[in-house]
Amino acid sequence: MAGNVGVATLGAGVLVSHPQALSDRPGGLQICTQEYLRTLRAAGIDVTVATIAHDRRIATRIRQRLVPEPYPPQWRPSAVSDIVSSALRVNARLVFLNLVNLAPLALALKPQVSADTRVVLLSHGLESVDFLHTIPFDSYSRHQQSELGRRLLAERRQRVAIDHVFTLTPWEAEIERWLGARGVTPLPRTVTKRAPLTWTPDASRLGFVGTLDHPPTRDGVEQFLTAFEPLAPSSLHVRVVGGPEASGRALADRFRSVCYLGQLDDRALEAEASTWSAFVHPLFCFARGCSTKLAIALAWSIPVVTTPAGARGYVWREGVLPMADSPGAVARLACDMTDRSTAIRAREEIAAVARSCPTTEEVGRIIQRALLGTSREAEVTA
């Protein structure tokens, strides 16, 4: 591939993943997995994918129910030998574990591979990060406190057997270092090139897309709507796309401005989003991983309103991404987008942001430098 260096040096690698992460579903897990695959290949790594099935045996389920673990073994006993065989078959010296749920596998895998084989974690975000957001600020629950501590201690133990961690954001890379990871590199988000939407904005429409039972997402949307409704005219609605349905309907029952549309396929979503004055992405806490929906909105080249937390993991060289850091400020910014001239200027800035985000080849070179040890910290910065 043009622009790659060190192809022969990095050679072959095995990516270990659960099958659902590799499915064609349009979820964040699947989008991040495909992005990792593209950038690993851009780094000159000949990637072989090895899928491992969940261990759904009755005995395993009973044991987890009686003695629950924060990171339970999610693979059948044959998984380790299967991975070792896959690595030997292609002469791989790199084994990539896709998702932190597979991090415990490193403890079982490390003693079984050769001394020069590196185990690399492709993090989609730490479990402990989102678990913290499920605990109310005023909670004194000893069970919740103990559970958070158990997750952190499990994550620290796992890092002993992991040679390098790639993260989706720089701030989570710092948590990985705190946990004791020996090598950590944040990888900036890429924006897949696609034709911009034929934008025909309706001044009565804003839009939102997300998983409505994800605590940070749910809380962000509720804080935004609480600030938005006293400011917005009664004719202005937030058209909400996502699931589960019960959460969407509950949101529509609570807020008069919400028009809940359910879950839409790609074609229907693009047709709907082309009518929005702006895509609103309100997130007020730093959740695990990154917001994959933001990359889609950037590629659409429609106006976007978000927050620093919503844009975590993204860097760009040109353009201004409309952002605010409080629910009230985001609500005012969203209302401003119903003015056509304001929205047009924002759309031009969004197009510049999307064009100047790192390419797959650039991120591939970051991976190369990290795994070849040619730089202490390899980042693309805005």
Side-chain angles (χ1 to χ4, degrees), residues 77 110 184 206 275:
K110 194 67 174 174
V184 187
L206 299 169
T275 69

Side-chain angles (χ1 to χ4, degrees), residues 39 189-190 193 317 355 357-365:
T39 52
R189 314 280 36 85
T190 60
K193 298 291 187 294
R317 302 178 184 91
R355 286 194 305 269
C357 283
T359 65
T360 298
E361 288 71 28
E362 287 175 321
V363 179
R365 288 193 286 272

Side-chain angles (χ1 to χ4, degrees), residues 237-293:
H237 292 88
V238 180
R239 295 171 66 86
V240 173
V241 177
E245 183 176 341
S247 298
R249 295 200 179 281
L251 204 63
D253 289 341
R254 180 178 171 188
F255 296 99
R256 61 158 179 81
S257 61
V258 169
C259 178
Y260 178 58
L261 305 179
Q263 301 192 64
L264 304 180
D265 61 31
D266 288 349
R267 181 173 296 182
L269 177 57
E270 290 184 0
E272 169 63 30
S274 69
T275 69
W276 295 344
S277 291
F279 177 107
V280 184
H281 183 58
L283 192 69
F284 301 104
C285 67
F286 279 75
R288 66 183 289 192
C290 69
S291 296
T292 57
K293 295 294 190 299

Side-chain angles (χ1 to χ4, degrees), residues 140-169:
Y140 292 94
S141 166
R142 290 189 177 183
H143 172 73
Q144 289 176 320
Q145 293 172 12
S146 174
E147 183 61 25
L148 178 59
R150 291 179 68 225
R151 287 172 188 262
L152 289 168
L153 291 172
E155 289 163 353
R156 186 178 69 173
R157 283 193 297 271
Q158 295 154 12
R159 270 59 190 169
V160 173
I162 295 171
D163 297 289
H164 204 93
V165 181
F166 289 111
T167 69
L168 300 177
T169 62

Side-chain angles (χ1 to χ4, degrees), residues 70-71 99-101 125-132 148 151 155 172 288:
Y71 282 89
L99 198 66
V100 294
N101 302 67
L126 287 156
E127 290 269 338
S128 56
V129 168
D130 270 7
F131 184 78
L132 176 65
L148 178 59
R151 287 172 188 262
E155 289 163 353
E172 205 151 347
R288 66 183 289 192

Side-chain angles (χ1 to χ4, degrees), residues 18-309:
H18 288 305
Q20 64 266 34
L22 299 162
S23 74
D24 57 4
R25 292 180 56 195
L29 171 61
Q30 291 77 20
I31 291 171
C32 285
T33 297
Q34 290 304 318
E35 187 170 352
Y36 270 131
L37 277 168
R38 288 193 300 271
T39 52
L40 289 174
R41 286 167 175 151
I45 301 169
D46 184 9
V47 181
T48 297
V49 175
T51 59
I52 58 173
H54 275 91
D55 186 355
R56 302 190 183 281
R57 294 173 299 170
I58 293 176
T60 301
R61 295 182 190 181
I62 293 174
R63 182 171 63 250
Q64 178 59 20
R65 179 167 298 223
L66 294 176
V67 189
E69 299 178 49
Y71 282 89
Q74 296 183 330
W75 54 87
R76 298 185 70 84
S78 61
V80 172
S81 60
D82 291 344
I83 294 166
V84 172
S85 296
S86 295
L88 289 172
R89 188 163 53 249
V90 297
N91 194 30
R93 292 294 179 265
L94 291 164
V95 176
F96 299 95
L97 304 178
N98 183 43
L99 198 66
V100 294
N101 302 67
L102 291 182
L105 185 57
L107 294 166
L109 186 62
K110 194 67 174 174
Q112 304 300 320
V113 296
S114 61
D116 60 348
T117 297
R118 285 180 287 174
V119 177
V120 180
L121 176 62
L122 305 178
S123 174
H124 296 225
L126 287 156
E127 290 269 338
S128 56
V129 168
D130 270 7
F131 184 78
L132 176 65
H133 295 305
T134 68
I135 303 175
F137 283 103
D138 57 354
S139 172
Y140 292 94
S141 166
R142 290 189 177 183
H143 172 73
Q144 289 176 320
Q145 293 172 12
S146 174
E147 183 61 25
L148 178 59
R150 291 179 68 225
R151 287 172 188 262
L152 289 168
L153 291 172
E155 289 163 353
R156 186 178 69 173
R157 283 193 297 271
Q158 295 154 12
R159 270 59 190 169
V160 173
I162 295 171
D163 297 289
H164 204 93
V165 181
F166 289 111
T167 69
L168 300 177
T169 62
W171 77 273
E172 205 151 347
E174 296 305 323
I175 301 178
E176 287 285 352
R177 293 188 181 95
W178 176 65
L179 290 171
R182 285 176 282 171
V184 187
T185 305
L187 300 179
R189 314 280 36 85
T190 60
V191 175
T192 302
K193 298 291 187 294
R194 65 175 73 190
L197 296 185
T198 303
W199 186 53
T200 54
D202 185 329
S204 69
R205 294 184 176 188
L206 299 169
F208 169 83
V209 184
T211 304
L212 301 173
D213 62 350
H214 177 229
T217 300
R218 181 195 63 223
D219 294 348
V221 172
E222 290 177 351
Q223 288 182 63
F224 163 73
L225 289 169
T226 299
F228 173 78
E229 292 207 332
L231 299 174
S234 59
S235 59
L236 182 56
H237 292 88
V238 180
R239 295 171 66 86
V240 173
V241 177
E245 183 176 341
S247 298
R249 295 200 179 281
L251 204 63
D253 289 341
R254 180 178 171 188
F255 296 99
R256 61 158 179 81
S257 61
V258 169
C259 178
Y260 178 58
L261 305 179
Q263 301 192 64
L264 304 180
D265 61 31
D266 288 349
R267 181 173 296 182
L269 177 57
E270 290 184 0
E272 169 63 30
S274 69
T275 69
W276 295 344
S277 291
F279 177 107
V280 184
H281 183 58
L283 192 69
F284 301 104
C285 67
F286 279 75
R288 66 183 289 192
C290 69
S291 296
T292 57
K293 295 294 190 299
L294 182 60
I296 295 171
L298 293 175
W300 283 341
S301 288
I302 65 174
V304 172
V305 174
T306 189
T307 66

